[in-house]
Each structure stands twice: as structure tokens, then as C-alpha cells.
Amino acid sequence: EEQREVRILLQHTDQGYDYQVRSECRLDGQRGFQLHAEANVRLDGLARPPRIDVDAIDARCDRERIPAEPGGLPSTQEDHMQFGPRWRVLREVSYGDGEALARLGLPTKFEGEIATYGLHPALLDVATGYAMKLIEQYQGDDLWVPVSYGQVRVYGDLDAEVVSWVRHADDSRSAGDFAKFDITIATTTGEILVEVRDFTIKRMTADASFDLLS
């Protein structure tokens, strides 16, 4: 299998850093580097917004409630991807009109990883991607994959247990190939840890195979 060079660029700016990921490619015999991901990172101190009212959100999300199961709830994507034990973090989910609330927690044997990973990848992944049932006519037949984050604000490290409040961004409710959400991840008492604006996902209509086995 051909090995291709990957380049990661981190460039200092007046506000923070510019970040790019590129990989080697060839076109018409010419070598170049294709852009895969980019971001602007700002390091200014953010004033933490007011707490969210977890109980009030939960009371509104009464259209469908999925209670806790021993060992956690499966992800809506598990028909298309293999997830390892760290990704079994979904505890309870409630759906309302254009919004959803989930309670998440790392399995006990992985809680110590919180000290290593400020934004634990399993918690962050599921907290941003569990609410696909908010998409009109969503049946779970296709894999949906992340495309972009419009903006991510980080106010603190994730706890081993968090809540995630997901809302439709703009008018993104149609069953097209893209959907967009705003997401707030908070402590169980409502203190905001992460805010995401315009998180965009895309439906993959062709068969694909991915593994997340950690």
C-alpha cells in the first residue's frame, strides 16, 4: 500500500493559531497536498454563560423518553459502525420539539481518563451525535458523519458525567443530505462546559465501514 505524507500546520496569529491538516495527493502526475481540515483557534478568556436549567429542558422534552439500561444505551449509529466500550456512554435520552436532552457518563473503569483527556473523545463524540432522531423522517438506515463545526467554545474540561442539550440550528429539520445542530454540554447541575454552534453532519448513502474499537 502506498504511503502518503501527512502535513499538520499550526501557525501563530494575533488571536491564537491557524490549524490545517493536509495529505499528499497526485493530479495529472503532479504532487500536491490536499486540505482535509482547518480551524481558527482563539485563546481569549471567555466569560462562562449562565447555567442551563436542566430540569426545565427535561420537562419540555417529553415526546419520547428512553430510560437507562444496564451498561448504557447503544448509539443510533451502531448499525453502521463498531464502537468500543469507551463509547458506551449514553445513559438516558429525552426528545422534545426540535430539541433533545441526554445524560452521559463514562463507564466506571474509564473514569480515570478524564484527568488525561480534558475533552474525552468518547463523551464529546456521543454528546454531539446522539440526537439524529430530531431529523425529520430519520429511520437510521444511513450513516451520518460529521462535516464541520461552525464554532466551538470550551469553558472547562468535561466531567465523567455530563448532560448534552441539542437543538436544531436555524431551520435544519428536513430529511435532506445535511443536518445542522447547536449543542450545549454541561455538568449535571447545568454549568456550561462546551458550546457548539452549527455542527453539520452529512448522510452517507453508500455503504461504508468504520471501526471505533477503543
Side-chain angles (χ1 to χ4, degrees), residues 191-208:
E191 184 177 1
I192 295 177
L193 303 173
V194 178
E195 287 187 306
V196 179
R197 295 288 177 264
D198 294 336
F199 172 54
T200 302
I201 58 175
K202 183 183 187 301
R203 176 164 52 188
M204 304 290 289
T205 54
D207 290 337

Side-chain angles (χ1 to χ4, degrees), residues 52 57-58 60-61 90 93-104 123-135 163-169 172-173 179-186 194 196-201:
I52 60 172
I57 297 169
D58 183 65
R60 293 197 305 267
C61 293
L90 201 57
V93 184
S94 299
Y95 291 94
D97 183 13
E99 61 180 339
L101 182 72
R103 300 179 186 274
L104 305 98
L123 282 173
L124 186 63
D125 184 23
V126 178
T128 55
Y130 74 88
M132 295 179 191
K133 284 187 177 182
L134 293 178
I135 302 170
V163 298
S164 173
W165 176 34
V166 176
R167 293 89 67 200
H168 280 292
S172 178
R173 299 188 182 214
K180 188 181 293 186
F181 301 98
D182 292 335
I183 302 154
T184 301
I185 304 173
V194 178
V196 179
R197 295 288 177 264
D198 294 336
F199 172 54
T200 302
I201 58 175

Side-chain angles (χ1 to χ4, degrees), residues 70-108:
L73 297 169
S75 164
T76 55
Q77 298 279 70
E78 286 195 21
D79 288 340
H80 308 284
M81 302 180 68
Q82 296 181 28
F83 290 86
R86 285 176 175 80
W87 262 254
R88 190 52 73 92
V89 298
L90 201 57
R91 297 292 175 252
E92 299 177 6
V93 184
S94 299
Y95 291 94
D97 183 13
E99 61 180 339
L101 182 72
R103 300 179 186 274
L104 305 98
L106 278 173
T108 303

